[in-house]
């Protein structure tokens, strides 16, 4: 059996876990090394079981703890060549750290197989499609302003999809953010709103996927209730009843969320 959860998820920091048996992958490390290790400990996970850290992109809410972590633990780091080159150039990855670019091909990482796919953001950014040792497949896509063809392809056929539901459009437009930041977030190279996320989830449900994690919710421009409500409205309007058959979970901002089996 394979499982997914987030250690923390939101605009203040993102980190997720994909586990199968005694081994697991970490996706991003957007809070301190100490916070991340403490969260792993609450889940009963030790660093010895970590087979790799997958990095989506260079923004601090995805890499803040990586430098200190890699100074203490020799765990390989995977991501796009552009992101790894940037991290290396900034000294985020210490000398001797194992950096492996995986764009354009699948890569074995422990017992997992990982493929990266590009997402539309204002810096080089990717999502990951992960096949667990038992053959189960999940895909994660955060920090994307629009759903491009590579994203559609990567999410299709997955057993579990972790997808960004960053903001509620009304909350963003009438909130306190300065105009330039609102434009950035709402742009095709910004973030995905609740309604866009909900429409994609409906499409995936109609294709047979039944498990979804809503990730990277904005503290200022979204709430779990708003994100879940948008998904529920889209599903109900199409005659789909959320429940045991279709599980949708909003990931918690500052603590581990419940495990989702896939």
């Amino acid at each position: 059996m394979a499982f997914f959860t987030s250690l923390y998820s939101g605009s203040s920091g993102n980190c997720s876990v994909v586990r199968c048996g005694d081994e697991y992958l970490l996706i991003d490390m957007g809070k301190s090394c100490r916070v991340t290790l403490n969260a792993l400990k609450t889940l009963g996970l030790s660093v010895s079981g970590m087979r790799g850290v997958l990095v989506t992109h260079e923004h601090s809410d995805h890499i803040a703890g990586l430098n200190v972590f890699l100074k203490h633990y020799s765990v390989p780091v995977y991501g796009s060549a552009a992101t790894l080159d940037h991290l290396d150039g900034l000294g985020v990855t210490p000398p001797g750290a194992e950096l492996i670019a995986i764009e354009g091909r699948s890569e074995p990482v422990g017992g997992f197989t990982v493929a990266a796919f590009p997402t539309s953001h204002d810096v080089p950014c990717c999502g990951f499609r992960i096949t667990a040792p038992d053959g189960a497949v999940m895909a994660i896509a955060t920090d994307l302003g629009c759903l491009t063809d590579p994203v559609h392809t990567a999410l299709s056929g997955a057993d579990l999809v972790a997808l960004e539901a960053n903001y509620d459009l009304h909350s963003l437009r009438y909130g306190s953010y300065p105009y330039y930041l609102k434009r950035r977030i709402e742009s095709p190279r910004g973030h995905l709103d609740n309604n866009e996320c909900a429409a994609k989830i409906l499409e995936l449900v109609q294709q047979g996927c039944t498990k979804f994690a809503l990730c990277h919710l904005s503290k200022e421009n979204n709430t779990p209730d708003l994100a879940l409500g948008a998904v529920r409205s889209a599903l109900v309007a199409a005659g789909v009843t959320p429940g045991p058959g279709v599980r949708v979970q909003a990931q918690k901002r500052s603590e581990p969320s419940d495990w989702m089996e896939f």
Side-chain angles (χ1 to χ4, degrees):
M1 293 183 294
F3 299 87
F4 170 83
T5 192
S6 296
L7 301 184
Y8 42 83
S9 179
S11 300
S12 57
N14 298 274
C15 182
S16 299
V17 174
V18 180
R19 176 174 67 86
C20 188
D22 295 328
E23 59 179 351
Y24 68 94
L25 305 176
L26 206 68
I27 305 169
D28 291 330
M29 192 181 296
K31 292 187 178 181
S32 71
C33 177
R34 178 183 297 179
V35 167
T36 304
L37 293 177
N38 285 340
L40 288 171
K41 186 176 180 180
T42 67
L43 297 176
L45 298 177
S46 65
V47 176
S48 63
M50 190 187 302
R51 297 294 178 256
V53 180
L54 314 181
V55 178
T56 60
H57 65 296
E58 66 198 52
H59 285 160
S60 62
D61 58 323
H62 294 261
I63 62 154
L66 193 59
N67 178 268
V68 172
F69 176 81
L70 292 175
K71 288 179 179 178
H72 292 89
Y73 301 99
S74 298
V75 177
V77 178
Y78 299 81
S80 72
T83 294
L84 297 181
D85 287 347
H86 184 80
L87 299 183
D88 189 44
L90 289 179
V92 173
T93 50
E98 186 177 5
L99 308 179
I100 302 172
I102 59 172
E103 56 195 329
R105 61 187 173 88
S106 297
E107 180 76 19
V109 184
F112 300 88
T113 301
V114 180
F117 56 92
T119 60
S120 179
H121 203 41
D122 56 3
V123 297
C125 187
C126 67
F128 297 101
R129 184 178 173 97
I130 301 168
T131 303
D134 65 357
V137 177
M138 69 84 58
I140 181 168
T142 65
D143 295 79
L144 64 167
C146 61
L147 291 158
T148 59
D149 287 343
V151 175
H152 286 298
T153 299
L155 302 188
S156 182
D159 299 297
L160 181 148
V161 169
L163 185 60
E164 175 174 75
N166 180 254
Y167 65 96
D168 169 71
L169 186 57
H170 182 273
S171 298
L172 175 67
R173 288 182 174 176
Y174 294 94
S176 60
Y177 276 11
Y179 179 67
Y180 81 88
L181 185 54
K182 293 178 181 181
R183 287 197 64 185
R184 172 190 174 269
I185 292 169
E186 201 176 327
S187 79
R189 299 184 66 203
H191 290 277
L192 208 63
D193 74 27
N194 291 344
N195 291 330
E196 293 170 309
C197 175
K200 184 58 184 175
I201 286 176
L202 173 60
E203 179 184 324
L204 292 168
V205 167
Q206 292 169 333
Q207 293 175 0
C209 187
T210 59
K211 296 178 181 179
F212 303 92
L214 308 184
C215 300
H216 210 308
L217 275 66
S218 168
K219 181 179 180 180
E220 292 79 12
N221 302 306
N222 210 358
T223 67
D225 285 345
L226 285 171
L228 290 168
V231 174
R232 180 177 178 83
S233 294
L235 295 180
V236 170
V240 179
T241 303
V246 178
R247 182 181 178 191
V248 185
Q249 175 177 290
Q251 302 305 99
K252 297 178 182 178
R253 174 172 305 282
S254 302
E255 60 184 299
S257 297
D258 293 338
W259 287 107
M260 298 183 73
E261 182 182 347
F262 67 97

